[in-house]
Amino acid sequence: MIEFLNVVKKYPNGAVAVNDISFTVNDGEIVFIHGRTDSGKTTLRKLMLIEEKMTSGNIYFDNIPLSGISDRNVYKHRRKIGVIFRESRLFVNKTVYENIAFALRALECPEGEIPKRCAVLLKLVGLEGLEKKYPDTLTGAQRQRAEIARAMASNPKVIMADEPTASLDHEAGLDILNLLMSINERGKTVIIFTKDEELAKQYRKRMITLDFGKVVSDESAVVSESAEIRLPEASEQAEQ
């Protein structure tokens, strides 16, 4: 469980990026955090990763206050969170396989286990057969799938996606969100930061909206069952 309790982040210049925010994300939940640019989304992500420190309040991760984690143990906390960044972090001079293997080596995975772990991750994200491809030869959606595979390398408890559909067209964006939904169904907590309110609403999941660093709404999921979005086939479109 992740709990924000009266969290404030104020910068030395007086700007308040996060203003007395409180909410809870339960284990296995999927949540969209929505807001325009400069609404506080990026700061929230950085606070959860302890890339920045709170001015006041606290964030609890599995009942552990993040303010109490020493600098030398921050990396242990970050391994519990798989992050999919808005800009690609894939190494352009490495294949899809090599990118995932690099992440596994950084996690001190035994060399003999890397091929098996890579195969599992590639299958999870639907990239079997593309392991020898380089990032610049992949489609935007395929690159995002590779990013997700790498984020899953540590078998994190939480997946945090920062604008995962920002560089994709509508169909490709739905493809990636459907993949994140399927990962959530495997028991992972998923937090998706987005400016696209309409795309988020299609999934009928809980959506927390930020504005000027405050929570202005917290809408619960409309339905409890999976809400995978299916685009109409070409023949259906022609009939409409």
Side-chain angles (χ1 to χ4, degrees):
M1 183 177 75
I2 302 169
E3 182 181 12
F4 279 72
L5 190 59
N6 304 118
V7 175
V8 174
K9 174 60 182 179
K10 185 176 182 179
Y11 291 100
N13 65 1
V16 179
V18 171
N19 190 359
D20 195 29
I21 280 182
S22 296
F23 64 85
T24 298
V25 178
N26 293 313
D27 289 344
E29 189 174 10
I30 185 163
V31 179
F32 286 89
I33 296 182
H34 162 259
R36 58 180 177 77
T37 302
D38 297 328
S39 62
K41 301 191 307 297
T42 299
T43 302
L44 237 59
R45 173 177 60 79
K46 290 182 176 181
L47 291 174
M48 277 191 269
L49 290 168
I50 321 182
E51 292 179 351
E52 293 191 359
K53 295 187 177 181
M54 296 157 276
T55 303
S56 62
N58 220 325
I59 302 171
Y60 294 83
F61 194 101
D62 285 344
N63 296 318
I64 298 172
L66 297 193
S67 62
I69 296 178
S70 64
D71 290 345
R72 61 192 175 94
N73 286 323
V74 166
Y75 79 97
K76 293 181 180 179
H77 166 71
R78 289 178 181 164
R79 286 186 177 185
K80 299 176 184 178
I81 304 174
V83 184
I84 304 155
F85 294 97
R86 178 169 30 190
E87 299 85 14
S88 177
R89 299 292 178 98
L90 297 172
F91 296 106
V92 296
N93 62 337
K94 294 182 184 292
T95 64
V96 171
Y97 177 92
E98 290 168 342
N99 267 280
I100 299 171
F102 180 89
L104 290 169
R105 290 190 183 97
L107 293 164
E108 300 178 347
C109 177
E111 196 67 28
E113 292 183 16
I114 288 177
K116 181 179 178 181
R117 292 279 298 277
C118 281
V120 169
L121 291 166
L122 286 164
K123 183 176 181 180
L124 173 69
V125 301
L127 289 181
E128 309 103 305
L130 298 180
E131 56 269 17
K132 294 183 180 180
K133 294 284 188 178
Y134 287 88
D136 61 359
T137 67
L138 301 175
T139 66
Q142 287 170 340
R143 282 194 296 273
Q144 279 295 69
R145 285 177 175 268
E147 296 276 6
I148 293 170
R150 198 168 66 164
M152 290 286 288
S154 65
N155 191 25
K157 185 169 185 178
V158 176
I159 286 290
M160 197 156 53
D162 183 19
E163 303 283 1
T165 65
S167 61
L168 304 176
D169 61 30
H170 184 72
E171 183 175 357
L174 292 178
D175 177 54
I176 293 304
L177 288 180
N178 284 335
L179 176 56
L180 290 172
M181 296 291 154
S182 70
I183 289 172
N184 170 249
E185 289 169 1
R186 292 171 174 261
K188 302 294 182 185
T189 302
V190 177
I191 301 173
I192 301 170
F193 295 88
T194 183
K195 289 184 289 188
D196 194 337
E197 181 179 10
E198 293 307 313
L199 191 60
K201 281 183 175 180
Q202 290 184 66
Y203 284 85
R204 302 180 178 89
K205 301 294 184 180
R206 180 182 175 197
M207 183 165 64
I208 297 171
T209 300
L210 304 179
D211 197 20
F212 295 106
K214 295 183 73 70
V215 174
V216 294
S217 70
D218 187 345
E219 301 176 11
S220 298
V222 176
V223 290
S224 58
E225 66 269 16
S226 173
E228 180 173 327
I229 305 300
R230 183 182 69 85
L231 292 172
E233 301 292 339
S235 59
E236 293 178 289
Q237 292 176 332
E239 294 172 0
Q240 295 175 355

